[in-house]
Structure formats: structure tokens, C-alpha cells
Amino acid sequence: MSKIVSFTLGCLLLIPFLGVSQTSSNYTTIDSTDTPQEIIRKAAQVVPSERQLRWQKLELTAFFHFGINTFTNKEWGEGNENPEIFNPTNFDAEQWIISVKNGGFKQVILTAKHHDGFCLWPTKTTTHSVAISPWRSGKGDVVKEVADACHKHGIGFGVYLSPWDRNASCYGTDAYNDFFVNQLTELLTQYGQVDEVWFDGACGEGPNGKKQVYDFMRWYALIRKLQPQAVIAIMAPDIRWVGTETGMGRETEWSVIPTSNLDLSAIASQSQNNVIFKPKTDLMGNILGSREQLYAANGLVWYPAETDVSIRPGWFYHPEEDSKVKTAEELMNIYLTSVGMNSVLLLNIPPNKEGLIAPEDVQSLQAFAQLKNKIFSEKFPDKSTVVSCENGVNIRAIADQKYETYFTTNKGDTTTIIEFDSKGPRQFNLLMIQENIMVGQRIEHFVLEYFDSQKGWMPCAEGTTVGYKRIIKFPEVSASGFRLKILSSRLEPTISEFGLYYWK
Ligand code: FUL
């Protein structure tokens, strides 16, 4: 019988530091001789690359859909719009960046070119750009001003460059790949550090339209060479689309998913820093990385989800949607179903015709930040909580507010129970758990219980995967005893942070 370790969280200064160094890889191959147990063990040790980890920790990123559509009041341009209609009257990139920064957002992505082909920077590749617009007499550069504002305010900067281009005459021919590489090169060499490059999969050409074979591998190699720290998202190797545009993630969200039809030997011959493949696999299913799915794979890769959604019904600004901006409460619910479901939120906030984030959106972002801070500032367990655990080390780390330090079970134990006694009733309706993904994603099933003096231990929240962050909203309970039961894991589970909160 293992010894029960029990103490209050008061003496936090004595916490031993359990540091982690990243030595493992963000992919692994599966050999034909691997047993199911061996495959699961391998999956539990796949970790994010450094650039994936940095991105995951951002939690909140913002999208700016801005361009010719802002002036035609459309969602998809035709590609034949007159650049003279692009004329923001009061353009202020710093106002965009300050607005999202005040909302708690850490990185932004600008639509440097949407499907209509209009470029927000004075590119040498086409005349269809800001350079022949009346804005700043053709001397303006939206990409530069947004990039400069990001760098000034310590916000990550990313670019969206639409592969589908309805304006470029070479679209549909081999020459388009050169054209695209030239556009990418300009974006990646003229504006300082770029932290994310976003390739949209959308193409509305239809069966009789132009057919373009994109040279993705060439594009990825170029990005790795010019901006090695940048994550490449969506039609890309580092980050996948979650599969919805509503802000809804998956209940069971594994960041390690199977790969198939891939030349894994080519991948294995490179270091993880140079991995430039795009997993060919179904990304729309309810569960992408179950045990059964892993057994059938020839490789496993860390490929985390990004949840993109707009603060308004459309991606671009439309004045008639000013009254439909999502409220702070709606944004909070989206936070719970995106970041709280092991994903990063990419929230679109479209600037208006003036070239500003509209007051409705600014107000909503600010109210969201206030609400979020209010909910998560009252933390439990706190100094007076008694915590006990049967089998594990470093239990105090779950409340030290340091992601890198973590609790884990004794070798070979894939389940555990952690008990909390608040010495008096406390009311909660939110559960937050973080695994230390720097050693892998492992937890498969957990339940939170509270102690009822009449009925004994009663469940109040239950979940499957945790990953970087899992938040569950449950009907409020008031109790002084709580316990977290980890019922199943792929390897010794870890917990970096744990908390119960109350959203009134
Ligand atoms: C889609 C595009 O077609 C939309 O216009 C928008 O850019 C969205 C983020 O991705 O695929």
C-alpha cells in the first residue's frame, strides 16, 4: 500500500523544481513489429517542436481580414475589383494591435492577400495592390504598418497568403508557383520577424475552373529557410484546422495523430526542425487520435488544432453586422470550447472601411479580457488547501502557476487520485487542468468529484483528453472536499496546473 502524502499548499517556496529539457521528437515511426502497447507508449512520448510549443502557449491569437472586400462589402472578391476603391480614411494599425492586446491576444495574422488577389503591400509581383490605390497616394503598406505595430507592442506577427488567387493571370499554370514563392519571399524578408504563415485550403473554382497544383513543399522549405521560428498553419505541417468555424473544438482532442501514406523515412532522416511534410489524413472526424486509429498508422506526429472563428458573422467587415458582434460572454464560451479543448483560438476581428477596429469590437474584446481575468484570478487550490495524493511526486507543482513544473505519478502508475480539502465550503463551476505537453500528451479519462455529507463522493465533471489545457464548465457545486481521479492514461500522467473556478 503506497503512502499517502498530505500537506497544505502554504509552503510553496520549498517546491522542488522538476525541469524538463526537450530531447524528444514531434514525430515517430511505427515498426511493423510494434505491439499495440509499444505504439501507445510511443504516442505518449511524441512532443511539440519548439515552435509548436511557443504557439500553443499563446492561447489567444487574432485574425485581421482586411482588403478589397472591406470596400465592396463582400466575403469573396472576384479578382477584378478596381484597386482605386481601396482607401481607408483613418488607417491606424496601432489601434488594431492595442485593441487585441488589451483583449489578451498575443499574436495576429493579417490577410496580406485574400482570394481576390489584391495585395496589401506594394509587391513587385503584380500591380493589383495598394500601390495603385489612392490610399496614401499609392505609397502605403498595410503589411509594414501592422508588422511594425506588432513588433513595437510585443505581439507576434503572422501572414495569411491565399493560395487561391482569382486575379493572377498565371493561376492554373506552373508559373503560379514561382509567382507565389516571390510573394512569400517579399513577405518573409521585408517585414522583420514573422511568427505564423497561414495557408487557406479554400478554392471556389469548381469542376470547370482553373486547376492549380500547389508546390507546398517548396513553400514550406522557403519558410523554414527565411523564418525558421514561424509555425505554418492549415494546409501545412505544424498546425491543423480544428474542422469548424464556430469556435467549437473537440471533446476528445489528441495533438498526436496518425499519419499514413507518408514517406516517413525521409522525415526521419531530417531533424525535427526541418520537418516539412503535411500529414495526409482525415482531419474532420470526431476523434483523430484514438488508440485504434494509432494502431493502424505507419507514423505518429504532433499536429495540434487551431480553432478559427469570427467575432462577427462574416470574416470581413460589414456595417450591417455592427449589432452582431459577439458579447464578452459569448467570447468566454468560445474560449472554453477552443483553448479549453486543447486548441489555440484564432479570433477574427475585421477592421472597417476607415481602417480601424470598430468601437463595438473594441468594447467586446475589453469586456472579454475583464471577464476572463475576474474568473481566473480567484484560484483554488490556494495556500490553505490541504492536498493529498497516494502515488506521485511534486504535487505542489500543480498550483505553483509555473507551466514547466509538474506533478507525475510513480513509475508504471497510469491512474491516480488527488484530494483537496478547502477547510470550509467553496463554490465552483469550472475545472481547469493542464498536462505538461513537453513530455507528451497522456491523459485519456478523468473525473472530478466533490464530497457530499449525505451521499459521499459524487461526480461533477468528467472528460477524456486534457493536453495543453482542458476546461470544463459544470453545474455549480458547493463543498469543501474535491478529488480529481485520473482513470486512464497512455503513460504516467502529468499535471502542470490544476484549478477550480467560479463563473457567476
Ligand atoms: C476560408 C475563406 O474562404 C474565408 O474567406 C476566410 O478567409 C476563412 C478564414 O477561411 O477558407
Side-chain angles (χ1 to χ4, degrees):
M1 183 70 189
S2 48
K3 201 170 119 241
I4 296 183
V5 188
S6 173
F7 49 82
T8 65
L9 285 167
C11 47
L12 285 175
L13 286 175
L14 298 176
I15 292 171
F17 179 80
L18 195 55
V20 184
S21 64
Q22 262 192 273
T23 49
S24 321
S25 171
N26 73 342
Y27 67 89
T28 186
T29 50
I30 293 177
D31 305 325
S32 54
T33 52
D34 283 345
T35 61
Q37 288 83 346
E38 187 52 33
I39 293 172
I40 297 307
R41 167 172 284 274
K42 281 186 170 180
Q45 295 181 99
V46 174
V47 297
S49 65
E50 259 178 69
R51 61 172 83 82
Q52 287 172 320
L53 182 64
R54 186 200 80 88
W55 167 83
Q56 189 88 48
K57 288 179 168 177
L58 299 171
E59 294 196 4
L60 298 176
T61 61
F63 227 161
F64 294 133
H65 275 70
F66 185 63
I68 213 79
N69 298 335
T70 314
F71 297 86
T72 55
N73 204 20
K74 283 190 180 170
E75 278 291 301
W76 276 9
E78 310 280 332
N80 56 6
E81 290 78 12
N82 185 345
E84 293 199 358
I85 62 175
F86 182 87
N87 197 10
T89 47
N90 202 7
F91 181 85
D92 183 358
E94 263 195 272
Q95 187 258 3
W96 306 8
I97 300 307
I98 291 168
S99 303
V100 299
K101 190 175 180 178
N102 288 344
F105 291 76
K106 303 285 191 313
Q107 184 155 303
V108 307
I109 298 172
L110 169 69
T111 53
K113 178 187 81 171
H114 203 252
H115 310 324
D116 51 73
F118 181 77
C119 296
L120 291 181
W121 78 104
T123 175
K124 292 195 177 73
T125 61
T126 172
T127 52
H128 198 57
S129 81
V130 284
I132 52 164
S133 78
W135 179 59
R136 303 213 164 130
S137 312
K139 301 269 180 297
D141 185 339
V142 176
V143 176
K144 180 170 184 345
E145 293 198 31
V146 174
D148 287 352
C150 285
H151 297 141
K152 177 173 169 190
H153 291 279
I155 294 291
F157 172 66
V159 288
Y160 167 115
L161 188 67
S162 172
W164 183 35
D165 188 322
R166 304 181 87 178
N167 176 267
S169 53
C170 60
Y171 187 83
T173 70
D174 283 349
Y176 183 72
N177 281 307
D178 295 331
F179 173 89
F180 197 86
V181 159
N182 291 340
Q183 294 197 328
L184 257 185
T185 305
E186 289 179 357
L187 291 172
L188 302 177
T189 54
Q190 295 174 10
Y191 301 103
Q193 183 163 316
V194 176
D195 301 291
E196 185 164 346
V197 181
W198 215 90
F199 292 135
D200 200 329
C203 178
E205 287 290 325
N208 301 320
K210 293 182 182 173
K211 287 189 182 37
Q212 178 69 52
V213 180
Y214 300 127
D215 195 350
F216 281 118
M217 298 306 258
R218 193 173 156 209
W219 305 354
Y220 303 157
L222 183 73
I223 300 165
R224 292 290 196 247
K225 183 172 144 224
L226 297 176
Q227 296 278 352
Q229 73 293 327
V231 282
I232 318 176
I234 312 309
M235 302 294 289
D238 298 326
I239 296 167
R240 76 185 139 87
W241 179 49
V242 79
T244 67
E245 287 184 342
T246 57
M248 188 68 203
R250 287 185 180 78
E251 288 285 341
T252 299
E253 183 58 272
W254 288 105
S255 293
V256 175
I257 67 165
T259 60
S260 45
N261 313 319
L262 282 176
D263 182 4
L264 283 159
S265 57
I267 295 162
S269 66
Q270 304 180 52
S271 87
Q272 66 163 321
N273 291 331
N274 293 317
V275 169
I276 54 169
F277 65 94
K278 180 178 179 305
K280 288 181 202 146
T281 187
D282 168 30
L283 299 177
M284 299 286 286
N286 278 342
I287 301 182
L288 302 182
S290 68
R291 287 190 179 223
E292 289 65 35
Q293 286 162 317
L294 302 188
Y295 298 155
N298 70 351
L300 308 172
V301 64
W302 187 273
Y303 197 35
E306 180 180 79
T307 306
D308 61 331
V309 60
S310 186
I311 195 167
R312 292 162 170 256
W315 291 102
F316 283 87
Y317 177 84
H318 308 290
E320 64 275 20
E321 292 179 355
D322 280 349
S323 59
K324 296 187 178 143
V325 175
K326 292 186 174 70
T327 63
E329 286 71 27
E330 287 173 306
L331 294 179
M332 189 63 206
N333 277 319
I334 285 176
Y335 176 79
L336 300 186
T337 59
S338 56
V339 176
M341 287 185 171
N342 189 29
S343 177
V344 166
L345 174 61
L346 175 58
L347 180 71
N348 179 61
I349 304 117
N352 62 17
K353 272 170 89 162
E354 277 187 83
L356 295 170
I357 304 291
E360 293 82 358
D361 309 57
V362 172
Q363 198 276 329
S364 190
L365 287 174
Q366 201 142 18
F368 163 66
Q370 278 162 1
L371 177 64
K372 180 168 162 285
N373 290 344
K374 189 160 163 263
I375 294 169
F376 291 102
S377 62
E378 249 185 73
K379 197 172 176 350
F380 173 90
D382 58 20
K383 282 195 288 208
S384 59
T385 313
V386 179
V387 180
S388 47
C389 176
E390 276 196 28
N391 57 334
V393 292
N394 211 22
I395 189 68
R396 290 181 176 103
I398 68 170
D400 67 357
Q401 315 227 36
K402 289 188 196 124
Y403 184 71
E404 287 68 25
T405 61
Y406 63 98
F407 159 84
T408 189
T409 54
N410 299 332
K411 201 162 172 40
D413 285 351
T414 52
T415 63
T416 191
I417 301 177
I418 304 171
E419 219 171 292
F420 306 89
D421 182 354
S422 64
K423 305 268 175 208
R426 297 275 301 262
Q427 194 170 34
F428 300 112
N429 60 7
L430 284 177
L431 158 71
M432 191 282 294
I433 314 177
Q434 291 191 278
E435 264 178 276
N436 190 337
I437 58 172
M438 290 155 86
V439 299
Q441 186 184 355
R442 298 168 174 193
I443 297 174
E444 291 181 305
H445 188 191
F446 63 90
V447 61
L448 177 74
E449 296 179 340
Y450 68 99
F451 191 75
D452 182 289
S453 51
Q454 316 274 297
K455 302 181 197 146
W457 287 107
M458 298 292 293
C460 52
E462 188 169 0
T464 52
T465 49
V466 174
Y468 179 72
K469 190 169 265 190
R470 182 76 172 103
I471 308 176
I472 297 184
K473 188 154 189 290
F474 55 90
E476 63 187 49
V477 294
S478 183
S480 66
F482 293 88
R483 68 182 186 188
L484 176 70
K485 290 164 87 172
I486 296 185
L487 302 171
S488 154
S489 304
R490 291 181 171 177
L491 208 58
E492 293 86 8
T494 69
I495 299 180
S496 281
E497 290 296 310
F498 168 87
L500 298 178
Y501 306 89
Y502 186 50
W503 179 8
K504 283 198 186 73

